[in-house]
């Protein structure tokens, strides 16, 4: 099993332990609450699980909220999937240079967020590497990794300076410029879905798309949502590496080997290092907690490229925290930002903490 699937299983195990019937009831702080859930199929190519917490007599509203959240996920997929021919992304990638490609406001928003992440991550998160991704997909079919010349050529075909974002869309300066939003669109969809639940009046909710999660508000029993993070090297045991207690926020995981291409018996990550064009191998598993899933998803991919050194690049004061499992199954180390400590139900042993040391008053507590 892979880190992401395990994370999802962990969430289901913790959040839904009491959900035998799909309708659970509990006397919360002030009202009788129920939880409605749905598992829409074929969304973003993975498993999806939605939860809506409402007052007991509001079950119809909850079902409408779940439907609205599902619609948001499907809309984002329609706009941003590289596999859908009529998506904004496909339209942009196929467009010639020099003309405005009209894009939905959501697509422009995700491109803007992607560009900010590119700047903040020193180029480790880069949605303009589409030609490199195609090259590695081809390599998987050919059974041989691409040559250095072909990697360099693919890198030169598309970079951020080769495109310009405008309010209604984007303009390419080079016909070969192209984007792949696979490292951020799922997070954005999760955010839109969670906002739809909130807008529809849910007191609490959870959106889980393939183990990437956003949750908010009341849980059935009033406590924080618990999200399990598993050890990618010990998938055979059910014991999570740790549990995160999240009352309002997102948790996304990127696994270097959870999705990969196998070429001549060797595994290559689906995350590429934009600086070299080579598959990233800095961190087998990265989990990021952030106020939005857009940020958590993007940073999880960026830190997969950068490894523990990248923790220093996380935006300060923005509520973005991360945990990285680095090394190999024989010898691995866990790195985490100090800000994550307060979210861990029980920190795993031997964590190397990164960031400003917490200041204790002279003489200790
Ligand atoms: P998952 O789809 O499993 O959630 P990630 O969130 O880690 O995986 O995103 C990986 C996807 O991001 C890749 O399949 C590819 O589409 C895209 N990608 C790969 N490398 C990068 C990168 N360096 N920067 C931005 N996007 C990337
Ligand atoms: Mg992701």
């Amino acid at each position: 099993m892979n880190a992401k699937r395990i994370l999802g299983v962990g969430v289901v195990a913790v959040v839904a332990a009491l959900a035998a019937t799909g309708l659970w009831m509990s006397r919360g702080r002030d009202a009788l609450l129920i939880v409605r859930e749905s598992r829409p199929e074929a969304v973003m190519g993975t498993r999806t699980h939605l939860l809506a917490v409402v007052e007991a007599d509001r079950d119809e509203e909850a079902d409408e909220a779940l439907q609205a959240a599902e619609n948001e996920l499907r809309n984002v997929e329609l706009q941003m999937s590289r596999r859908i021919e009529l998506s904004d992304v496909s339209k942009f990638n196929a467009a010639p240079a020099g003309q405005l490609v009209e894009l939905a406001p959501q697509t422009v928003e995700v491109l803007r967020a992607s560009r900010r992440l590119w700047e903040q991550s020193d180029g480790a998160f880069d949605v303009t590497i589409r030609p490199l991704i195609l090259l590695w997909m081809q390599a998987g079919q050919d059974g041989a990794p691409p040559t250095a010349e072909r990697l360099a050529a693919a890198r030169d075909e598309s970079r951020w300076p080769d495109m310009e974002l405008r309010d209604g869309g984007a303009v390419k300066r080079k016909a070969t410029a192209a984007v792949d939003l696979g490292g951020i669109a799922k997070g954005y969809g999760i955010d839109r879905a969670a906002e739809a639940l909130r807008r529809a009046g849910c007191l609490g909710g959870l959106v889980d798309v393939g183990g990437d999660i956003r949750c908010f508000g009341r849980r059935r029993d009033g406590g924080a949502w618990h999200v399990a993070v598993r050890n990618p090297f010990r998938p055979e045991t059910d014991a999570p590496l740790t549990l995160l207690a999240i009352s309002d926020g997102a948790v996304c995981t990127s696994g270097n080997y959870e999705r990969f291409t196998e070429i001549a018996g060797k595994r290559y990550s689906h995350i590429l290092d934009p600086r070299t064009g080579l598959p990233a191998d800095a961190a087998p598993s990265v989990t990021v907690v952030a106020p939005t899933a857009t940020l958590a998803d993007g940073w999880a991919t960026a830190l997969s490229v950068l490894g523990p050194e990248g923790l220093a690049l996380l935006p300060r004061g923005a509520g973005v925290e991360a945990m990285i499992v680095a090394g190999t199954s024989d010898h691995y180390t866990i790195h985490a930002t100090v800000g994550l400590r307060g979210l861990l139900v029980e920190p795993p042993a031997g964590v190397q903490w990164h960031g400003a040391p917490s200041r204790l008053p002279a003489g200790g507590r």
Side-chain angles (χ1 to χ4, degrees):
M1 275 214 280
N2 58 54
K4 183 149 301 171
R5 212 175 308 138
I6 296 159
L7 181 67
V9 169
V11 171
V12 172
V14 176
V15 174
L18 303 169
T21 60
L23 177 74
W24 328 321
M25 304 185 71
S26 152
R27 190 160 292 282
R29 266 200 302 267
D30 39 26
L32 196 63
L33 299 180
I34 59 167
V35 182
R36 301 283 290 184
E37 67 176 331
S38 71
R39 295 176 188 274
E41 291 194 2
V43 179
M44 298 187 172
T46 183
R47 284 175 311 95
T48 296
H49 187 198
L50 307 175
L51 296 178
V53 181
V54 293
E55 285 179 15
D57 55 352
R58 302 274 171 102
D59 48 327
E60 265 180 41
E61 274 174 52
D63 289 345
E64 281 169 22
L66 291 169
Q67 188 58 56
E70 177 181 339
N71 293 348
E72 290 287 352
L73 287 172
R74 292 194 191 280
N75 277 338
V76 169
E77 185 175 19
L78 278 176
Q79 283 159 351
M80 298 179 210
S81 171
R82 56 178 179 243
R83 293 184 198 90
I84 296 174
E85 217 179 309
L86 295 175
S87 73
D88 272 359
V89 163
S90 300
K91 197 168 77 172
F92 178 75
N93 289 348
Q99 74 183 39
L100 177 72
V101 186
E102 285 181 24
L103 302 169
Q106 291 92 327
T107 310
V108 176
E109 194 182 339
V110 172
L111 285 168
R112 288 222 163 95
S114 301
R115 202 184 149 106
R116 250 190 323 273
L117 264 164
W118 172 69
E119 287 161 0
Q120 291 179 337
S121 69
D122 275 355
F125 185 85
D126 190 345
V127 299
T128 72
I129 59 169
R130 168 79 178 154
L132 281 172
I133 290 175
L134 286 178
L135 200 58
W136 280 98
M137 279 163 62
Q138 186 60 42
Q141 284 170 14
D142 297 348
T147 61
E149 291 77 42
R150 297 197 68 179
L151 285 173
R155 180 68 274 214
D156 277 342
E157 278 175 14
S158 173
R159 295 177 190 273
W160 268 113
D162 299 326
M163 47 192 98
E164 184 192 325
L165 300 180
R166 304 244 177 103
D167 276 344
V171 181
K172 304 210 280 194
R173 298 204 177 99
K174 247 184 193 172
T176 49
V179 296
D180 179 309
L181 299 181
I184 193 168
K186 194 204 292 171
Y188 181 76
I190 291 170
D191 285 334
R192 304 235 9 147
E195 279 148 25
L197 292 178
R198 211 196 288 261
R199 225 176 16 246
C202 295
L203 300 175
L206 178 134
V207 178
D208 168 0
V209 182
D212 286 345
I213 281 148
R214 176 145 172 201
C215 50
F216 68 91
R218 298 287 306 278
R219 207 170 66 140
R220 185 191 55 82
D221 58 8
W225 300 89
H226 283 178
V227 179
V229 182
R230 292 290 168 80
N231 184 335
F233 295 127
R234 301 285 181 271
E236 68 281 2
T237 70
D238 260 356
L241 187 67
T242 187
L243 277 182
L244 291 162
I246 308 288
S247 49
D248 204 322
V251 183
C252 294
T253 294
S254 276
N256 245 3
Y257 58 89
E258 64 162 20
R259 273 177 45 207
F260 52 83
T261 313
E262 202 165 290
I263 303 172
K266 191 168 182 274
R267 286 180 176 192
Y268 292 91
S269 169
H270 68 302
I271 296 173
L272 301 179
D273 185 337
R275 301 163 299 187
T276 60
L278 298 172
D281 62 1
S285 171
V286 178
T287 300
V288 177
V289 179
T292 67
T294 307
L295 275 177
D297 195 10
W299 273 108
T301 302
L303 291 174
S304 297
V305 172
L306 296 165
E309 283 178 14
L311 293 173
L313 297 182
L314 290 175
R316 276 168 196 268
V320 184
E321 308 293 343
M323 171 180 275
I324 297 180
V325 183
T328 62
S329 60
D330 294 337
H331 180 73
Y332 63 87
T333 47
I334 303 171
H335 300 258
T337 54
V338 284
L340 196 76
R341 209 180 324 204
L343 303 175
L344 294 170
V345 175
E346 205 180 314
V351 175
Q352 296 184 23
W353 298 103
H354 293 243
S358 51
R359 269 183 234 115
L360 291 176
R365 280 168 210 269

